[in-house]
Amino acid sequence: MERVVERSNVWLAYQRVVRNKGAPGVDDVTVSEFKGWLKVHWPSVRKALLDGSYLPRPVRRVDIPKPTGGVRTLGIPTVVDRLIQQALHQVLQPLFEPTFSEGSYGFRPGRNAQQAVRQAQSYIRDGKRWVVDLDLEKFFDRVNHDVLMARVARRVSDVRVLKLIRRFLVAGMMRDGVIEARTEGTPQGGPLSPLLSNILLTDLDRELETRQLAFCRYADDCNVYVSSRVAGERVMRGVRTFLEEALHLRINAAKSAVARPWQRKFLGYSVTAHRQSRLRIAPESVRRLMEKIREQLRQGRGRSLSRTVEVLNPLLRGWITYFQLTESRQVLELLDGWVRRRLRCLLWRQWKRPRTRARKLVALGLDAERAWLSAGNGHGPWWNAGGPHMHQALPAAYFTRMGLVSLLHAQQRLQCVR
């Protein structure tokens, strides 16, 4: 605990909490107000941590919809509890990192989802063309506190730290002013939860290694690669038994399966069925991007085109940065064309009247007769957005000059950098 509250460690934790921003907890103290709060209260907080009497506040419950349906429950700690969790994380991570598996990629320094995807592709190319796709049922809500604390205690002997972690686990969850008690789970939202999940699931990694299985795990998303369906079914049964008996966790039968890798997705990616499988973007990931773009355009129907492009660019740039490993150009070309058509559709709606549409088309280079015929054709915005008159008036080069990110060109630049 002395290392946790040491000045340089707390200062580093403070910088990270402030940089991450985030919503206030149940005490309504914001990140911008935190510095002033800390100057007054930190001495008493530090004393309580050192003598083992510190009690975390309840977390604020926030439910956000999942892309695949249902909700994901987040627990937002107070800013001071985020600071303490971050300080704990910085001391505990170096202790546990050497114990983690080579097959684990989530929430670890120097490791990321793209490395996990590349490793999965390597296993498939090596002939392991069946996947045991494991989905843990409500993992962060179902973590058994006793099982987790037993794993933490393997490398942490300071009773104050162990008590503090358990208090974070059992701190109530507040919704609409009512505090709900917690007897299991480690809600997502605090800096400590990802590390705790890796500590617990390292036992699963070791079990898979003992069986000499090829696997990739990112947080609670785990794929095991085998050479036949029979082997896959056997692995599924064995892993289900191990999780239930050793870790008190359950597999979600509806979302888990033994299947061909090209029939499943892993971290947003899938693969082709070629012998030398190529990475591609899973259809669900494409649909999710399209829905986000639709939502952005619905919210900004009154915005100028230049402002709309400014809003879309960070979304497009972030998406292709993650999916830059795709080896299929076609989907990027189609998405680029679809985004431009959405923008043409937006402009057609904004122009509203045939006279305005004709005037705009003339200003964009169409001859007057064709502009008037196109402006009064009677078709809807989406049809017109794909029509030759709008393609001529607003070609791809027009959007390039406006600075619109092209997914295909951005991916090519990223590949060159790599």
Side-chain angles (χ1 to χ4, degrees), residues 107-131:
F107 310 117
R108 296 180 59 188
R111 289 179 163 243
N112 57 45
Q114 291 170 327
Q115 291 171 340
V117 169
R118 279 292 194 204
Q119 184 60 66
Q121 180 188 30
S122 175
Y123 288 142
I124 298 165
R125 286 183 168 182
D126 286 345
K128 299 184 184 300
R129 295 170 69 82
W130 288 87
V131 61

Side-chain angles (χ1 to χ4, degrees), residues 188-203:
Q188 301 173 74
L192 205 52
S193 291
L195 176 61
L196 295 178
S197 71
N198 272 337
I199 292 171
L200 180 64
L201 290 176
T202 292
D203 277 23

Side-chain angles (χ1 to χ4, degrees), residues 88-329:
L88 276 169
H89 184 281
Q90 290 165 187
V91 172
L92 295 176
Q93 177 85 35
L95 290 177
F96 285 95
E97 180 64 27
T99 72
F100 292 156
S101 167
E102 282 297 308
S104 165
Y105 292 87
F107 310 117
R108 296 180 59 188
R111 289 179 163 243
N112 57 45
Q114 291 170 327
Q115 291 171 340
V117 169
R118 279 292 194 204
Q119 184 60 66
Q121 180 188 30
S122 175
Y123 288 142
I124 298 165
R125 286 183 168 182
D126 286 345
K128 299 184 184 300
R129 295 170 69 82
W130 288 87
V131 61
V132 184
D133 188 353
L134 300 171
D135 184 276
L136 301 184
E137 187 175 29
K138 296 183 177 178
F139 170 72
F140 285 95
D141 298 332
R142 295 277 173 83
V143 169
N144 182 286
H145 292 169
D146 292 335
V147 172
L148 172 58
M149 290 308 303
R151 272 69 185 167
V152 176
R154 289 172 180 170
R155 298 188 71 82
V156 177
S157 57
D158 190 326
V159 175
R160 296 166 299 178
V161 172
L162 295 173
K163 283 183 177 179
L164 180 60
I165 294 173
R166 184 177 280 275
R167 285 170 181 167
F168 276 121
L169 292 173
V170 301
M173 183 174 286
M174 181 179 287
R175 181 170 60 175
D176 300 328
V178 178
I179 297 176
E180 305 168 357
R182 287 216 319 268
T183 57
E184 62 179 4
T186 169
Q188 301 173 74
L192 205 52
S193 291
L195 176 61
L196 295 178
S197 71
N198 272 337
I199 292 171
L200 180 64
L201 290 176
T202 292
D203 277 23
L204 171 61
D205 299 341
R206 296 306 177 206
E207 177 68 14
L208 296 174
E209 288 173 348
T210 299
R211 300 183 185 201
Q212 297 183 319
L213 293 169
F215 71 96
C216 297
R217 181 178 66 79
Y218 190 95
D220 59 331
D221 197 347
C222 183
N223 277 6
V224 184
Y225 296 90
V226 294
S227 301
S228 69
R229 175 180 284 279
V230 172
E233 299 288 358
R234 184 172 61 249
V235 169
M236 179 70 83
R237 288 193 298 271
V239 170
R240 177 182 287 111
T241 300
F242 174 80
L243 287 170
E244 291 176 354
E245 294 181 355
L247 300 183
H248 297 193
L249 295 171
R250 290 202 297 268
I251 289 177
N252 186 329
K255 295 183 179 179
S256 301
V258 177
R260 293 293 196 178
W262 45 90
Q263 297 170 336
R264 308 293 291 181
K265 65 181 178 70
F266 181 52
L267 301 177
Y269 282 89
S270 187
V271 295
T272 65
H274 300 94
R275 183 163 297 279
Q276 288 297 305
S277 290
R278 297 198 296 269
L279 290 175
R280 63 186 181 92
I281 303 168
E284 295 91 331
S285 302
V286 175
R287 286 196 293 269
R288 200 174 303 168
L289 173 67
M290 293 172 74
E291 185 51 45
K292 287 180 179 178
I293 292 171
R294 286 192 189 98
E295 182 60 29
Q296 288 285 355
L297 295 181
R298 277 195 295 268
Q299 292 174 1
R301 284 183 176 172
R303 283 193 297 241
S304 67
L305 182 62
S306 59
R307 177 59 185 151
T308 299
V309 168
E310 285 179 17
V311 171
L312 285 181
N313 276 346
L315 173 62
L316 297 171
R317 195 175 289 113
W319 190 84
I320 195 57
T321 298
Y322 180 78
F323 286 109
Q324 64 178 285
L325 299 184
T326 181
E327 296 168 275
S328 173
R329 292 167 49 101

